[in-house]
Amino acid sequence: MNKTDVDVVHKLPTVATVREALCGRAPAAVRGAPNLARSQRRLPAGSWELMSEESDSLRTSPSAASLSESELPLPPAHTGYVCSLTEDLVAKAREELQEKPEWRLRDVQALRDMVRKECPNLSTSLEDAFLLRFLRARKFDYDRALQLLINYHSCRRSWPEVFNNLRPSALKEVLASGFLTVLPHTDPRGRHILCLRPDRWIPSNYPITENIRAIYLTLEKLIQSEETQVNGIVILADYKGVSLSKASHFGPFIAKKVIGILQDGFPIRIKAVHVVNEPRIFKGIFAIIKPFLKEKIANRFFLHGSDLNSLHSNLPRNILPKEYGGTAGELDITAWNAALLASEEDFVREFCQPGPPCDSILGQALPPEGLSPEVPCDDSMRAVKSQLYSCY
């Protein structure tokens, strides 16, 4: 332990001192200690901002300091959380997410305290398991986890067409269409595979926002699993048969909102996006999407075309249905649809209850970038079609 680490130990003997550091009231030497630097600026009272994820290497957790066991602050006196991770996943979380089991509940308590002090009127769950989703998604950086939590609720309030009455029974038509499902087998890294098939959507039957609702519903169900919180997910998108008229519905306005939620407003790690059977029109679709993608996410897109051998080099045949050259039988959507419908009561409690009349964090704020209710003038059907036609 070097001299700087010793100084940190001496200045962080209690929970109170750690919390003071989090709120910006600690001595400068503590606020500037290694691995305790704040990664996001504080939000003014009564306002919020959809802030992007910064460097994955930053972390504000006190576990970054080299404290001996006798110097650790005491954990919460009572908690209902029981970790369900295997030993291998605990080790993976430690390596990739900087999650230390001996600090886990202290980290959760620190985030809970930040919510109570800085967002006292934010209507959110403060349960251990719920807050852990946000800590893991931001590698246990307190500031970024808090910002993600605020973004999560902000997005839900800013797009009522998607989030109002969000429950499986309201999306039976989308689920029955086969637009999306989750494959029964995970990939070799333990990641669930979300399979999207846009060709199954008939625009005359329901608007594109219903598809987005179904995707969000599926992500909410997936992220309940601690394994998914650690491993992340993979998306397999089959663009076979997607026409120009159908692609026109996914213009810049919709694209920006969806990507904004997935990147900065939802606690899930998207580790890869595999696109198969994409027609030439997909170049236009990707041209619409790419400006809103962070470089890290853009680099996780893999375009395979009709080359299933290329797909199999990433997703082995034994986990894929025969529609994608696999040996796991025919693609079956019934199991996942049943799992979602069985969760009806959970979604009713979460999304179908009347909210507070005013939320001091979000009530007077402008919607996040990309979630403004005004549709940009250049997002007309004609403008989008013109961009897509240029791909031919």
Side-chain angles (χ1 to χ4, degrees), residues 100-374:
K100 296 185 178 180
E102 64 271 23
W103 275 100
R104 186 187 291 123
L105 294 181
R106 297 180 180 92
D107 290 341
V108 170
Q109 185 61 42
L111 180 57
R112 184 184 293 116
D113 289 342
M114 291 176 70
V115 174
R116 287 171 173 166
K117 291 178 180 179
E118 302 188 23
C119 314
N121 296 312
L122 180 64
S123 179
T124 184
S125 170
L126 294 177
E127 294 182 0
D128 295 346
F130 181 77
L131 294 179
L132 262 176
R133 302 176 188 179
F134 297 86
L135 286 167
R136 286 170 172 153
R138 291 299 180 260
K139 300 192 175 183
F140 281 74
D141 182 308
Y142 294 162
D143 286 311
R144 292 165 61 221
L146 176 62
Q147 189 62 56
L148 179 61
L149 178 64
I150 293 173
N151 292 350
Y152 173 83
H153 288 288
S154 301
C155 293
R156 288 169 55 173
R157 286 159 173 78
S158 300
W159 204 358
E161 298 92 338
V162 169
F163 295 103
N164 285 354
N165 192 35
L166 185 61
R167 53 182 173 177
S169 62
L171 294 166
K172 286 184 176 180
E173 187 173 7
V174 182
L175 298 177
S177 73
F179 168 78
L180 89 170
T181 192
V182 174
L183 300 187
H185 304 289
T186 60
D187 75 355
R189 299 183 180 180
R191 303 177 297 200
H192 281 289
I193 302 170
L194 171 59
C195 181
L196 303 176
R197 297 186 292 173
D199 68 302
R200 296 303 183 101
W201 171 50
I202 301 176
S204 60
N205 288 353
Y206 52 83
I208 192 172
T209 50
E210 292 298 285
N211 292 332
I212 297 169
R213 282 159 58 82
I215 293 173
Y216 195 93
L217 197 78
T218 294
L219 295 179
E220 283 282 359
K221 180 65 176 175
L222 286 173
I223 203 59
Q224 292 175 3
S225 163
E226 288 197 281
E227 289 81 359
T228 298
Q229 294 169 26
V230 174
N231 291 327
I233 66 167
V234 171
I235 296 176
L236 172 60
D238 182 359
Y239 275 84
K240 181 179 180 180
V242 174
S243 63
L244 174 64
S245 61
K246 187 174 292 188
S248 299
H249 291 266
F250 194 71
F253 179 62
I254 296 291
K256 190 174 185 180
K257 291 201 286 188
V258 171
I259 293 171
I261 291 173
L262 294 179
Q263 291 188 145
D264 298 315
F266 195 84
I268 201 162
R269 307 171 70 208
I270 300 176
K271 305 302 291 182
V273 180
H274 296 283
V275 180
V276 296
N277 298 321
E278 68 273 17
R280 286 185 296 175
I281 197 66
F282 185 79
K283 294 181 180 179
I285 298 174
F286 196 66
I288 292 171
I289 295 174
K290 192 171 183 180
F292 310 122
L293 293 174
K294 297 175 184 177
E295 183 179 1
K296 179 176 68 174
I297 299 298
N299 291 337
R300 292 176 181 173
F301 272 74
F302 303 94
L303 310 184
H304 302 285
S306 58
D307 183 3
L308 294 182
N309 288 329
S310 173
L311 175 66
H312 298 159
S313 66
N314 294 274
L315 300 176
R317 297 177 66 224
N318 66 322
I319 68 171
L320 293 174
K322 72 175 188 179
E323 287 84 348
Y324 302 110
T327 60
E330 295 185 355
L331 183 61
D332 180 17
I333 66 172
T334 59
W336 181 251
N337 289 355
L340 283 179
L341 291 169
S343 303
E344 178 82 4
E345 292 185 4
D346 294 337
F347 284 101
V348 168
R349 283 194 300 269
E350 180 67 19
F351 291 95
C352 303
Q353 303 300 322
C358 180
D359 188 67
S360 67
I361 297 296
L362 308 175
Q364 303 300 321
L366 294 173
E369 183 180 3
L371 289 172
S372 172
E374 295 83 9

